[in-house]
Amino acid sequence: MYVKKCTKMLAAAGITVVMAASLLQGCGGKASDAGNKDAKVTEAKDETAKGGDAKETEADLTADMKEFTTGDGSVSIKLDKDWSTEDLGVDFWLGAGSSDGAEAVLVMQFPKQGSILPVDSMDSVKALVVESYGIQDETNTDAPSVPGMSDVIASICSINSEGESAEAYLVYGETDYAYYSLMYVAEKMDDDLIASMKASCATFAETPLEAEDNSTIQISDTVKWFNASYAVLTDINGWDYNRFGGLPVNEDSKAIVVQMLESWWDVTDRASADENLEWILTEGHRTSFVEDMKDLEASGIGSVAAEERPGFILGIYEMDETSAQFFADCYGVYETVGEKAIDGWDYCRALNLLGYYYTAGYYTDAEALDKSLEVAQIVQAEFGSWDELMDSYMAGYEYWAEESSDERRGIYEDLKTRDDNPYAVDFGMTLEKTW
């Protein structure tokens, strides 16, 4: 049955996008590039500049439309007056569909500042949309004119969600305030439906909102130091490394961080938050790292040439070649640095967790900051610079993830070149209580 199909697909997959986004935040992963990256960008065409006939056509199409607005009031667009809205569970997104569910429109907004979603570019928007809606068979087509929006591109594609398939006219673009994806879905996309969507796009209006932020934490140099210790992950997630915890403090960010902490850390309340922090500060991954390296040391790997160590490890342990290479590399770090080689990995994550605990409401501002100061002073006593700390963090990441830290290293180097470089704060500064 096709009844309600399109609106059902949009609503269900809309929740999927949010869930996928929150999981990305938890692990610090970055959405991969998706879609047709090599496609030639089609410049948005101003339909109103084509002459009287185009204007009349647009006027005819919008005459029977009404304005639909997102729950937070930040975006409005005109659609068929007989359509009704669909609850997508995100108050800055708009979903609407025909009464029989055979046609639907979805407007997804991804604010550039203070967003709870890990989106920092159009590529990451496309990746989320492609993955969540099963976008396939994209063919570039003329893009609509969207007021205030730049770099607008459009395609005809198929979508697959909730076991159903349909066709879509898919539009991407951005404003100073946000990135956008706009999608018209129907069983069969034709010229008339595309013309209708173009007319709707011409009525697009944005009212930027300032993110609600109930944070009680003033950003002193000491707090900037805390933020810098986990700025790489904050930036990967598309969050703001100038904020303690990376997000504005409100009910939306609280819900996302609570879910992320449960998914990735098994933290569900104050007691489990305390237990988890205690583990990372007294044991963490550095304990198992030292145990593993000592086992390798006892096996005699120290007398084996570096290039032969992966094969040596495969002769002793059951693992794949990639894991063997990373364990061999980890042993090289252990040989050079010693038992404290990945301490920075645990300490940076502990400081990161304290920011999360505050955003989630598990710790008060004073509790999170007091503990952050305690951890930061331990870090200062062990490391001599941001570079030393980040080297240790990267080594720990490679041990834990068994993959290269090159992407994170690249982000760290890039952060140091920015106007708001989080690492401009002196690593050796006197950390003091400013709250």
Side-chain angles (χ1 to χ4, degrees), residues 57-78:
T57 301
E58 182 178 294
D60 289 342
L61 289 170
T62 58
D64 209 31
M65 293 181 177
K66 69 176 181 181
E67 187 174 77
F68 287 76
T69 307
T70 56
D72 68 353
S74 62
V75 172
S76 68
I77 192 171
K78 287 187 176 181

Side-chain angles (χ1 to χ4, degrees), residues 29-152:
K30 185 178 181 181
S32 61
D33 292 340
N36 189 355
K37 291 173 63 177
D38 297 325
K40 181 179 179 180
V41 175
T42 303
E43 293 294 334
K45 294 177 173 57
D46 186 352
E47 298 291 340
T48 63
K50 292 184 177 179
D53 290 342
K55 291 181 180 179
E56 290 174 0
T57 301
E58 182 178 294
D60 289 342
L61 289 170
T62 58
D64 209 31
M65 293 181 177
K66 69 176 181 181
E67 187 174 77
F68 287 76
T69 307
T70 56
D72 68 353
S74 62
V75 172
S76 68
I77 192 171
K78 287 187 176 181
L79 302 167
D80 190 295
K81 68 180 182 181
D82 294 325
W83 283 19
S84 58
T85 57
E86 293 291 326
D87 183 8
L88 302 178
V90 185
D91 64 2
F92 44 89
W93 289 0
L94 174 64
S98 57
S99 58
D100 62 359
E103 298 171 21
V105 166
L106 171 63
V107 179
M108 287 188 284
Q109 177 197 84
F110 300 86
K112 294 180 178 180
Q113 297 295 326
S115 175
I116 60 173
L117 304 178
V119 166
D120 59 1
S121 67
M122 282 309 308
D123 280 344
S124 53
V125 170
K126 292 173 187 176
L128 281 178
V129 173
V130 167
E131 180 178 357
S132 297
Y133 289 95
I135 304 296
Q136 296 178 352
D137 305 321
E138 282 192 83
T139 302
N140 286 356
T141 190
D142 288 344
S145 175
V146 188
M149 197 176 291
S150 62
D151 299 324
V152 181

Side-chain angles (χ1 to χ4, degrees), residues 224-231 348 351-352 386 389-390 393 423:
K224 287 181 180 179
W225 197 103
F226 301 160
N227 295 347
S229 68
Y230 53 90
C348 287
L351 286 157
N352 193 182
W386 288 118
L389 176 62
M390 288 299 106
Y393 170 85
Y423 301 102

